[in-house]
Amino acid sequence: MKFSVLSLIGHAPHPLTGRLPAPADRFAEVVETAVAAERLGFDAYAVGERHAGPFLSSSPSVVLGALAARTSRIRLLTGVTVVAVLDPVRVAEDYATLTQLARGRLELVIGKGAEAGHFDLFGLDEERQWDLQAEKYELLRRLWSEENVDWAGEFRPPLKDVTTLPRPYGGPPRIWHGSATSRNSPELAAKHGDPLFTANAIQPRAAYAELIAHYRERFAAHGHDPARARVAAGSGGLLIADTERAAIARYKDLYEAKVAQTFRPHLAGKAGYNTPFRTIEDAIADGPQLIGSPQQIIDKILGYHAVYGHDLQSITVDGFGLEHGEQVETLQRFAEEIAPVVRREAPSTLWEDPAGGDGR
């Protein structure tokens, strides 16, 4: 198993104290957390993209550029690049530039995004979101894999003899497809033989397992080798204590206040937006949240692995309002007490093949 740390760069008042850090301080925390993640041996660090709600992640390419300058080994991911609302030419240019700055350490996770408001912001019809996603992604693939591209589609002006610059370092980066509630993303990933990144953040396990099973079935149906069907999984946040009782005592008020803060009444009942695990006890027992003792978290990740067969586990430490020092302490405990066991019990060749291909 490989491990990635994700930040959506949330910027809401602390759910208990109401404290709101200055944006510059929040960005500095993200950079320092990525530096700590590299030092602690994590395999990747991801920055999300949001254009609505209390987030500072509207420009992940800029943030990842800062991380590229401060790190040398750790892979840099997006989580996700909202390609449905973006110009593929701009995406190709920005992230190819990043591959050069990071000397090939960049991979994209694309998706339509979890905030409906961004379609209005960019003057796009939300009803066409999956059509936007498919067309723009397929153009991005061509811009990175071909030169002198001629192209015509529905959602942007045609291109004639276009070669975007710079070219990606070492060839086109791997592109994962973020998947939360719909079969559309697994289908698009399977069609192109790409890996799938399941959100695994809010819903019960069975919902994500169904989408992963569909992906693997369609991956093979499209003629791809099933052994190359890579899967990654997110989580609903990480809180570690010595025992379950200690985790409940330490984090119950914080967890439940955060759940209440992020509840969106207008989306009640819509899958993927509001967690059904509203108490910390429910989250520990049945939710994708990684909360409890190190052994409980090991068991939960391995339980998901038994169902998902995933190669990469993403964790989030800044979603509940922990102070930055406690975030780094949490990452250190995970790196020392949890990651070695999971790596041993669920080994992966992702990113280990020096010749590239499926392991790159």
Side-chain angles (χ1 to χ4, degrees):
M1 185 80 68
K2 309 298 183 185
F3 295 100
S4 178
V5 181
L6 166 69
S7 178
L8 297 176
I9 320 184
H11 195 236
H14 190 281
L16 294 176
T17 68
R19 188 182 75 85
L20 184 66
D25 293 336
R26 188 72 184 88
F27 283 122
E29 288 181 359
V30 170
V31 173
E32 293 306 321
T33 301
V35 171
E38 178 171 82
R39 173 175 53 80
L40 292 168
F42 284 86
D43 302 285
Y45 192 94
V47 175
E49 179 177 335
R50 296 289 181 94
H51 297 279
F55 301 95
L56 298 176
S57 52
S58 59
S59 188
S61 60
V62 176
V63 179
L64 288 169
L67 302 189
R70 290 288 307 277
T71 59
S72 60
R73 178 198 58 80
I74 199 167
R75 288 185 178 254
L76 305 175
L77 275 62
T78 61
V80 301
T81 297
V82 190
V83 71
V85 303
L86 304 174
D87 181 351
V89 174
R90 183 79 261 185
V91 174
E93 293 172 338
D94 284 350
Y95 286 104
T97 301
L98 263 170
T99 67
Q100 295 290 339
L101 291 170
R103 296 186 180 271
R105 290 185 288 132
L106 180 80
E107 299 188 6
L108 258 61
V109 183
I110 67 158
K112 70 170 185 62
E115 295 291 341
H118 56 221
F119 287 95
D120 285 341
L121 181 65
F122 287 90
L124 299 170
D125 181 1
E126 186 182 352
E127 295 297 318
R128 303 295 308 280
Q129 57 186 308
W130 295 112
D131 298 324
L132 287 158
Q133 175 90 341
E135 179 180 295
K136 293 185 176 189
Y137 170 61
E138 289 171 5
L139 175 55
L140 174 63
R141 282 178 61 92
R142 289 195 60 194
L143 291 170
W144 270 349
S145 61
E146 302 175 28
E147 299 182 5
N148 309 110
V149 172
D150 294 334
W151 177 89
E154 184 178 357
F155 298 113
R156 62 148 292 140
L159 301 175
K160 179 67 174 176
D161 195 27
V162 169
T163 300
T164 56
L165 296 173
R167 305 306 293 160
Y169 183 98
R174 189 197 308 265
I175 301 179
W176 303 74
H177 293 248
S179 170
T181 60
S182 168
R183 289 188 172 195
N184 287 281
S185 289
E187 179 65 37
L188 189 62
K191 174 183 175 181
H192 292 288
D194 295 332
L196 188 75
F197 208 121
T198 179
N200 196 49
I202 292 177
Q203 300 185 86
R205 179 183 310 188
Y208 300 111
E210 189 277 330
L211 294 174
I212 294 170
H214 176 74
Y215 162 70
R216 293 188 186 279
E217 175 186 338
R218 297 298 297 156
F219 193 94
H222 280 289
H224 305 297
D225 180 357
R228 296 173 63 90
R230 298 281 191 183
V231 173
S235 64
L238 173 67
L239 298 169
I240 306 174
D242 290 339
T243 65
E244 178 178 342
R245 178 177 293 181
I248 292 172
R250 169 68 179 85
Y251 297 118
K252 181 176 178 63
D253 290 346
L254 179 64
Y255 174 84
E256 294 175 11
K258 187 62 177 181
V259 168
Q261 183 187 60
T262 57
F263 181 74
R264 290 177 273 189
H266 65 294
L267 295 171
K270 188 173 182 180
Y273 286 92
N274 294 301
T275 180
F277 307 106
R278 304 193 64 76
T279 70
I280 195 170
E281 291 87 355
D282 287 344
I284 291 172
D286 299 310
Q289 296 83 2
L290 302 176
I291 304 174
S293 69
Q295 188 60 53
Q296 284 179 294
I297 293 170
I298 289 168
D299 292 342
K300 182 169 280 190
I301 293 173
L302 291 176
Y304 278 105
H305 178 72
V307 177
Y308 299 166
H310 60 306
D311 294 278
L312 173 63
Q313 176 67 57
S314 175
I315 63 171
T316 304
V317 293
D318 64 356
F320 292 121
L322 300 181
E323 294 295 332
H324 183 249
E326 191 169 3
Q327 293 177 31
V328 175
E329 290 173 5
T330 299
L331 288 179
Q332 182 166 347
R333 287 201 71 173
F334 189 95
E336 293 176 352
E337 301 176 48
I338 297 169
V341 178
V342 179
R343 289 187 195 276
R344 183 175 65 248
E345 296 297 320
S348 171
T349 59
L350 178 68
W351 299 327
E352 291 182 359
D353 180 0
D358 189 50
R360 71 179 175 90

